[in-house]
Each structure stands twice: as structure tokens, then as C-alpha cells.
Amino acid sequence: MTINTTSGLRASSIVKRYFGVPVLRGVTVSVRPGEVVGLVGHNGAGKSTLLKVVSGAVSADEGEISLDGVAATFRSPADAIRAGVATVYQELSLLGNLTVTQNVFLGHEEARAGLLKRAQMRTEALALVERFGLPVDVDAPLAEYPVATRQLLEIAVAAHRDARVLLLDEPTTSLEGEQVERLLAKVRQMADEEGLGVLLVNHKLDELFSVADRVVVV
């Protein structure tokens, strides 16, 4: 089988400095559709910084990002999301005081003539949680659910927004045992069944080796 090496996301020779001190020194990493790539490195190696550069949260001093072989410039995370690159950080962005449905559509509410399409959003949220096997009430506040469920919901929301590439920053840090296995299994399933490319930062090598197609060291 011939692999198209231009498909998917590629960050080439990325350099990032803070106050003149290099954090990233010419890092190159790529992830193809349907592939899970593990990203490892010692503390301070710049793993999270690389995700921020790729996601548009910070700009690189040097280097290039491309999607399917075409140069891409992300001036903000919103730019990256529109291009199909979504990021889930350790610090979850969903809001506990909002319902599951409200979180699914947070910042992407559906409306007509200035009125929210509440019934349609609720129906779509139901379909999403069923697709991911999440035992949640879409009308309940997210705060009612444990961190593991919130983490999975955040990943589900990223997929719901038509992500082609998913960047995950230490997603299992707050999880234990079966919760970790469930999250990694879902990540693997999304790659295999939906062709999602996943770049996964994790310092636990046993977890990475259980899910990743290959591992890149920063």
C-alpha cells in the first residue's frame, strides 16, 4: 500500500523562543488521517508549546504548518478549528454551570432569525452522546459528572465540530484505571473508524504504546 505523505497535518522545523530562550528548536512532526501519533519528551521539552503553535494559540518564530500539503496559517485557535484542527488541553474548557447541550454548542449556537434552535441542538447533543456512549443527561449541568466524563465529552465536542486532526495534551492525567482505558480506546476508535488524525501528548509510555501507531520524541 502506498502512503500519501502529504495528507494530514505537518509541522515542519518549528522554532519558538521566549525572551530569546529557545523552547522549540526546529521540531518536525506529522500526523496522517487515521493515525495516532504519540508525542513525548522530558519536562520543559516544549510539548505543550508545540501544540499551542499548531493550534494557533501562539505563533512560531520559524517553521511552517501545512494541511494536506498546503501551507496553513492559524492566527488563532478559531482559525485552526475552522480548518479542522481541534485541541483538548489538560485544563478543560467546558463550563460546569452549563448543561451538556449548551456545552456541545458553546460558541457555535444554532439560531434562526435571532432565536436559538433549542430543540434541534438538544437532538444533536443526544445523538453525539449516544455515539460516544456517554451516560449523561443532555439537560443536566456538566458539573454533575466526573472529570473522566467531561474529558470524553470535550473530545466528542471536538469531533462534533468536524475536526480532521485532534491534538490532545495529557488527556489521562486526572484519570485512573478503567477511565484511562476507555478514553484511549475511544481515541483509537475515532482514528480507525472516522479517519481522525490524533497527536497525543502523554508522558506515560505504557499508555502511548497501547494506542499510538508511532511515537515522536521532542
Side-chain angles (χ1 to χ4, degrees):
M1 181 178 68
T2 301
I3 296 175
N4 181 0
T5 57
T6 64
S7 63
L9 173 74
R10 181 176 178 83
S12 304
S13 303
I14 301 297
V15 173
K16 181 62 183 177
R17 306 179 187 90
Y18 287 108
F19 305 106
V21 178
V23 178
L24 296 172
R25 306 169 183 260
V27 175
T28 295
V29 64
S30 63
V31 55
R32 294 185 290 267
E35 183 180 41
V36 178
V37 177
L39 190 65
V40 298
H42 60 77
N43 289 339
K47 302 182 296 296
S48 294
T49 299
L50 180 61
L51 291 197
K52 290 177 180 178
V53 169
V54 175
S55 69
V58 301
S59 58
D61 295 312
E62 299 176 29
E64 181 182 80
I65 296 170
S66 62
L67 275 172
D68 298 334
V70 178
T73 301
F74 303 143
R75 294 183 175 84
S76 69
D79 279 353
I81 290 171
R82 281 191 288 269
V85 179
T87 307
V88 177
Y89 294 106
Q90 291 183 52
E91 303 80 14
L92 300 182
S93 63
L94 301 183
L95 303 179
N97 61 313
L98 300 182
T99 68
V100 171
T101 296
Q102 288 171 324
N103 272 292
V104 168
F105 291 93
L106 186 62
H108 300 267
E109 291 80 4
E110 296 182 359
R112 178 179 297 163
L115 299 176
L116 290 176
K117 298 161 71 173
R118 299 183 188 279
Q120 180 173 325
M121 289 191 291
R122 184 179 186 278
T123 298
E124 291 184 30
L126 275 171
L128 182 67
V129 299
E130 289 176 2
R131 170 184 161 197
F132 278 79
L134 294 175
V136 299
D137 178 353
V138 296
D139 299 315
L142 189 61
E144 294 185 4
Y145 298 101
V147 171
T149 300
R150 298 186 208 181
Q151 186 76 267
L152 279 170
L153 181 63
E154 185 125 13
I155 292 173
V157 169
H160 177 69
R161 294 173 183 171
D162 297 324
R164 299 160 53 199
V165 179
L166 184 61
L167 313 177
L168 299 178
D169 188 12
E170 301 278 6
T172 64
T173 298
S174 302
L175 309 183
E176 297 179 354
E178 186 178 332
Q179 297 173 336
V180 172
E181 294 175 5
R182 183 182 177 200
L183 185 143
L184 294 178
K186 179 55 67 175
V187 168
R188 185 70 260 176
Q189 180 183 1
M190 291 169 66
D192 291 340
E193 297 182 3
E194 303 180 30
L196 189 69
V198 181
L199 184 59
L200 172 63
V201 174
N202 194 332
H203 67 280
K204 300 174 184 177
L205 293 181
D206 57 333
E207 293 179 6
L208 275 184
F209 291 147
S210 74
V211 71
D213 296 290
R214 56 191 174 91
V215 174
V216 175
V217 180
V218 177

